Amino acid sequence: MGSFSVALCFAALLLLHAVAGAGRRTYIVRMNHNEKPESFSTHHDWYSSHLHSLSSSSSSGDDESSLLYTYTSAFHGFSAVLDPDEAEALRRSDPVLDVFEETVYSLHTTRTPEFLGLNSEFGSWAGYGAQDLNQASYGVVIGVLDTGVWPESRSFDDTGMPEIPAKWRGECESGPDFDPKLCNKKLIGARSFSKGFQMASGGGFSNKRESVSPRDVDGHGTHTSSTAAGSAVRNASFLGYATGTARGMATRSRVATYKVCWSTGCFGSDILAGMDRAILDGVDVLSLSLGGGSAPYYRDTIAIGAFSAMEKGIFVSCSAGNSGPTKASIANVAPWIMTVGAGTLDRDFPAYAVLDNGDRIKGVSLYSGEGMGTKPLALVYNKGNSSSSNLCLPGSLDPTLVRGKIVVCDRGLNARVEKGAVVRDAGGAGMILANTAASGEELVADSHLLPAMAVGRKIGDLIREYMKSSKNPTAVLVFRGTVLGVRPSPVVAAFSSRGPNMVTPQILKPDVIGPGVNILAGWSEAVGPTGQEKDTRRTQFNIMSGTSMSCPHISGLAAFLKAAHPEWSPSAIKSALMTTAYNLDNTNSPLRDAADNSLSNPWAHGSGHVDPKKALSPGLVYDISTEEYIRFLCSLDYTLNHIQAIIKRPNVNCSRKFSDPGQLNYPSFSVLFRDKRVVRYTRELTNVGAPGSVYKVTVDVSVSVSVTVRPKRLVFRTAGEKKRYTVTFSAKRGVSGATAEFGSITWSNSQHQVRSPVAFSWTRF
């Protein structure tokens, strides 16, 4: 960064507090990149000139204090602090194509390598030797946009790693609490982007631990980056739980972190700056465990940045969100993004409540303190001084009624671990956290500050009824540590956000699920494992749950595939992970949904649970070029201006647009029978397997739809050969009232099964 840019940065930061108080806010401005006059040496100078002319015609102040970021790769334009009148004046300027207010996004917050079939030594997979794969992996860089990194974590040990790839253009920035020398051959980049956050917060930090630095004082970023590519750490555990070797998915890949999330959220201007810089730095994979609600792609900061990354061959993986099991709650749905939901592992942390009637109630817990002994304690529920005492909100419990007792708390509204702190502060001896209908049967283990366990809705209802019927309800809580080989697994996490895709219903989302419940990974030693102020414990590893955890699993696996197949495009890697995903759990039964223990469907699990060994050799892939994505965008009835915002090209030709967005060569199908009974799509498969491969198609669909595939047989004479097929979906008469049904189309031979899920819907969501 030049001295002028540095001075500009500090000038902006000094005035942010006054700016925020004047009702100004951050806007992202898209410029016609190609209209820069020759009189300006850089786009930065040109953008500054526009702001200067704006401030000259108003009394709002200094243009240099307004400019936050200049974007060159992920986006063409800049972000600036403006008042609404200034934003409107910019919109009327000829070179300005669009002006919109930034969005605030939120975080979506050992055993997994073995569960996925990744051992410490890869062995030989379909002709790929361990030594070759390991060597290739050294050249792959995963960029993680999150809360920063704790560089001292053992997960970033670089022992045995060769020199940093010559292509790398990134760096480790210094900060008040971050020495660039802490980076190494594993952690090769660390930057922070906080101008948008500081503008919104008045220029200060509400969290006294925060500073303008890449250091992670939250823990989330260290957890996600070490999940993606952490080095192997023996004898890792979280307070004695999940003991074993903690390692990321791509242990030999490099990590670069971009801190874009702060105590009050992840601001769009900062995210776009982080993506812009990561693209310039030379990352191969981008991992973003954050998101917001659904929005058109031209208003989605992440989708815009991800398109630029995809064009440059960078694979982008994003979390689906934690708003499940609510239908149509999914985030990050752009088709050029890998959208990742969450499932469980075959590992559990059981705890039991033994009631005085002899019932032994099972739940989960990561409590690691002293036990409760064998003496039964009284159970209480809804005993407080407000109507919210059943939820154990702060100040809601009456100490005279709960002291020395086990309190039953309903899940919801405030954080799970905070409820335990409320019980402890009121003098309670323990807690049973009981799900309600909103959380269903989903169980997430927490490291509570007092003896506590979580139970599902059905068991929670049993406990509540027991307490009504018993004159003197009592219980003893017992904690059983770590159990492996849990069946069934995986199960779709209840919190994992669900389809259908409300931005483009013809694209099925999520794409896949990966491990996202009770995941052990590295942690920041600046904060306790619960993140609560009262939690003074410090640990090098933590167990967390969320699609934030499943996303970096897929990012790491994508890096692994990138190393094995450097010639594959991001869409080819995505296709390999999707079409080889499995839909049966370890009991050989269809995947289930933790929300109500019913059978899951592709709106919850997408193509299924990732299987990295099979993805390494998928046989066939559905590839998508940038031009095909443009034809897809043209089919969405966006204006040319909107499409230019995404693809960042001066001229857009929509003469060859798709007649239906579902014509995109996507590895899955979402068929809408809203105003027609017949839908026909053509797909193209590329042979990435052996020459002379022959595939036959099988169809598994609902009784309400007939499906015809032509041809039924594909012969690939050479590697890289492409073949097309057409599939016709016909809704049977009399079923127009159906909401949704599901099926699949599979191309297979003796070595490969290339499976695509299909979702059918008749009504608007």
Side-chain angles (χ1 to χ4, degrees):
M1 181 182 289
S3 59
F4 174 75
S5 297
V6 173
L8 182 64
C9 172
F10 280 107
L13 296 183
L14 288 173
L15 289 170
L16 279 174
H17 183 71
V19 166
R24 307 177 79 194
R25 54 195 66 173
T26 299
Y27 288 84
I28 296 175
V29 182
R30 184 167 67 87
M31 301 289 286
N32 190 329
H33 191 70
N34 297 292
E35 287 193 11
K36 179 181 74 65
E38 292 184 0
S39 56
F40 295 102
S41 59
T42 67
H43 282 86
H44 176 90
D45 293 343
W46 182 38
Y47 302 154
S48 296
S49 174
H50 268 280
L51 286 177
H52 178 72
S53 63
L54 190 69
S55 62
S56 297
S57 60
S58 70
S59 59
S60 58
D62 187 350
D63 55 288
E64 291 194 0
S65 70
S66 299
L67 185 62
L68 298 183
Y69 296 107
T70 295
Y71 308 115
T72 58
S73 296
F75 187 77
H76 289 163
F78 60 92
S79 57
V81 181
L82 307 167
D83 63 36
D85 290 340
E86 292 171 327
E88 187 56 39
L90 269 179
R91 287 190 183 95
R92 293 193 295 268
S93 178
D94 287 340
V96 176
L97 298 176
D98 199 7
V99 179
F100 56 95
E101 194 172 340
E102 75 171 345
T103 301
V104 182
Y105 297 83
S106 59
L107 295 166
H108 289 153
T109 247
T110 179
R111 178 62 182 161
T112 45
E114 288 78 8
F115 184 70
L116 290 170
L118 296 171
N119 298 316
S120 57
E121 295 298 332
F122 295 130
S124 180
W125 291 3
Y128 297 90
Q131 186 173 353
D132 293 337
L133 281 176
N134 293 342
Q135 192 63 37
S137 295
Y138 288 134
V140 179
V141 182
I142 303 175
V144 182
L145 273 69
D146 212 294
T147 64
V149 66
W150 189 262
E152 295 88 351
S153 171
R154 290 186 289 162
S155 294
F156 304 115
D157 178 61
D158 67 348
T159 301
M161 295 198 77
E163 292 301 314
I164 295 171
K167 68 173 185 178
W168 180 243
R169 298 180 294 275
E171 65 178 39
C172 288
E173 299 175 349
S174 63
D177 55 2
F178 197 97
D179 186 342
K181 294 179 181 178
L182 291 169
C183 289
N184 56 26
K185 296 175 185 176
K186 162 61 79 171
L187 179 64
I188 64 173
R191 300 181 185 271
S192 71
F193 303 86
S194 63
K195 296 176 187 177
F197 157 70
Q198 291 199 69
M199 183 273 149
S201 61
F205 290 94
S206 58
N207 184 338
K208 61 184 179 182
R209 294 189 301 265
E210 282 187 324
S211 63
V212 181
S213 158
R215 183 170 290 280
D216 179 14
V217 297
D218 176 273
H220 192 276
T222 301
H223 199 282
T224 55
S225 54
S226 61
T227 297
S231 302
V233 180
R234 297 181 182 275
N235 300 315
S237 73
F238 168 64
L239 303 176
Y241 286 95
T243 300
T245 298
R247 52 169 296 235
M249 296 296 97
T251 57
R252 290 167 176 82
S253 293
R254 320 289 180 144
V255 177
T257 63
Y258 300 82
K259 185 176 180 178
V260 298
C261 295
W262 305 83
S263 56
T264 55
C266 316
F267 292 81
S269 57
D270 296 332
I271 294 170
L272 201 53
M275 297 182 82
D276 198 64
R277 189 66 252 180
I279 292 170
L280 292 172
D281 285 347
V283 302
D284 300 290
V285 175
L286 272 175
S287 185
L288 293 86
S289 291
L290 51 96
S294 296
Y297 302 131
Y298 58 84
R299 281 288 185 268
D300 186 335
T301 303
I302 295 174
I304 292 171
F307 192 94
S308 297
M310 174 276 300
E311 273 197 291
K312 293 174 174 60
I314 300 168
F315 181 93
V316 182
S317 174
C318 294
S319 49
N322 297 340
S323 299
T326 303
K327 194 169 89 170
S329 56
I330 195 162
N332 297 318
V333 296
W336 49 88
I337 289 174
M338 184 70 150
T339 311
V340 186
T344 65
L345 293 173
D346 61 344
R347 178 177 66 195
D348 203 2
F349 308 103
Y352 298 91
V354 182
L355 308 181
D356 70 340
N357 63 3
D359 288 348
R360 191 167 183 258
I361 303 299
K362 183 183 177 183
V364 296
S365 180
L366 290 172
Y367 174 68
S368 60
E370 294 183 8
M372 299 185 64
T374 58
K375 181 182 178 181
L377 298 179
L379 273 177
V380 294
Y381 175 64
N382 206 16
K383 297 292 186 182
N385 46 31
S386 74
S387 59
S388 61
S389 59
N390 63 306
L391 290 163
C392 300
L393 300 180
S396 66
L397 298 178
D398 185 342
T400 62
L401 299 176
V402 305
R403 186 173 291 113
K405 299 174 183 177
I406 299 173
V407 182
V408 177
C409 300
D410 290 342
R411 183 173 170 181
L413 290 188
N414 58 333
R416 300 183 301 270
V417 292
E418 183 184 50
K419 294 177 186 290
V422 169
V423 172
R424 185 189 66 172
D425 292 347
M431 178 182 72
I432 297 176
L433 180 63
N435 284 3
T436 60
S439 300
E441 299 308 312
E442 172 194 65
L443 292 180
V444 178
D446 292 302
S447 54
H448 291 285
L449 299 173
L450 83 170
M453 60 180 281
V455 298
R457 186 202 58 166
K458 292 179 182 177
I459 290 179
D461 288 343
L462 287 175
I463 294 174
R464 295 180 191 99
E465 288 300 318
Y466 156 72
M467 295 181 67
K468 289 180 182 178
S469 62
S470 175
K471 293 182 179 180
N472 184 30
T474 65
V476 175
L477 302 187
V478 181
F479 305 95
R480 293 299 188 192
T482 305
V483 174
L484 303 179
V486 173
R487 297 160 68 91
S489 63
V491 174
V492 179
F495 61 72
S496 189
S497 289
R498 312 303 168 92
N501 176 351
M502 298 302 287
V503 181
T504 316
Q506 297 88 345
I507 301 296
L508 180 59
K509 291 286 182 170
D511 292 313
V512 293
I513 60 171
V517 178
N518 297 331
I519 304 302
L520 177 74
W523 190 248
S524 168
E525 294 184 51
V527 63
T530 65
Q532 298 289 302
E533 290 253 348
K534 297 178 181 179
D535 190 353
T536 59
R537 298 172 297 177
R538 294 296 181 265
T539 178
Q540 295 182 358
F541 296 89
N542 198 4
I543 292 175
M544 295 184 72
S545 297
T547 54
S548 278
M549 284 63 253
S550 54
C551 169
H553 279 89
I554 275 59
S555 305
L557 295 179
F560 180 53
L561 293 185
K562 183 85 172 178
H565 303 284
E567 75 282 4
W568 281 8
S569 68
S571 59
I573 294 174
K574 176 197 275 193
S575 175
L577 289 165
M578 290 174 65
T579 60
T580 59
Y582 60 85
N583 287 262
L584 299 178
D585 61 28
N586 59 0
T587 70
N588 207 33
S589 300
L591 294 176
R592 291 195 168 271
D593 191 331
D596 56 6
N597 202 35
S598 64
L599 293 180
S600 179
N601 64 57
W603 281 353
H605 63 243
S607 295
H609 194 285
V610 288
D611 185 334
K613 280 191 174 182
K614 288 185 178 179
L616 189 65
S617 180
L620 306 172
V621 295
Y622 293 87
D623 210 350
I624 306 175
S625 68
T626 300
E627 296 306 317
E628 288 174 289
Y629 281 124
I630 294 174
R631 294 175 66 188
F632 161 81
L633 289 169
C634 288
S635 73
L636 299 181
D637 295 326
Y638 288 176
T639 66
L640 292 182
N641 191 27
H642 289 153
I643 296 172
Q644 286 175 330
I646 302 165
I647 68 174
K648 294 164 283 293
R649 296 185 184 182
N651 300 309
V652 178
N653 185 353
C654 281
S655 61
R656 298 181 64 240
K657 71 176 184 178
F658 295 138
S659 60
D660 178 338
Q663 289 183 322
L664 185 69
N665 197 42
Y666 212 67
S668 58
F669 295 86
S670 180
V671 181
L672 278 62
F673 295 118
R674 289 177 180 172
D675 52 4
K676 51 191 172 184
R677 287 187 53 250
V678 177
V679 176
R680 182 175 291 109
Y681 291 137
T682 296
R683 292 287 198 265
E684 182 179 76
L685 284 162
T686 302
N687 180 28
V688 294
S693 298
V694 179
Y695 289 82
K696 294 182 179 180
V697 70
T698 56
V699 176
D700 177 17
V701 294
S702 69
V703 295
S704 302
V705 182
S706 64
V707 178
T708 304
V709 180
R710 294 286 185 270
K712 296 180 179 294
R713 185 171 176 267
L714 295 176
V715 180
F716 296 89
R717 291 179 172 81
T718 61
E721 186 178 1
K722 300 178 184 292
K723 292 284 186 179
R724 292 187 174 188
Y725 69 92
T726 298
V727 55
T728 303
F729 304 100
S730 302
K732 297 178 182 178
R733 297 186 185 278
V735 295
S736 58
T739 302
E741 296 182 8
F742 305 93
S744 64
I745 296 173
T746 305
W747 291 93
S748 59
N749 60 18
S750 58
Q751 288 83 35
H752 305 287
Q753 285 193 325
V754 185
R755 183 181 182 278
S756 296
V758 185
F760 305 101
S761 57
W762 284 259
T763 59
R764 292 193 175 274
F765 308 125

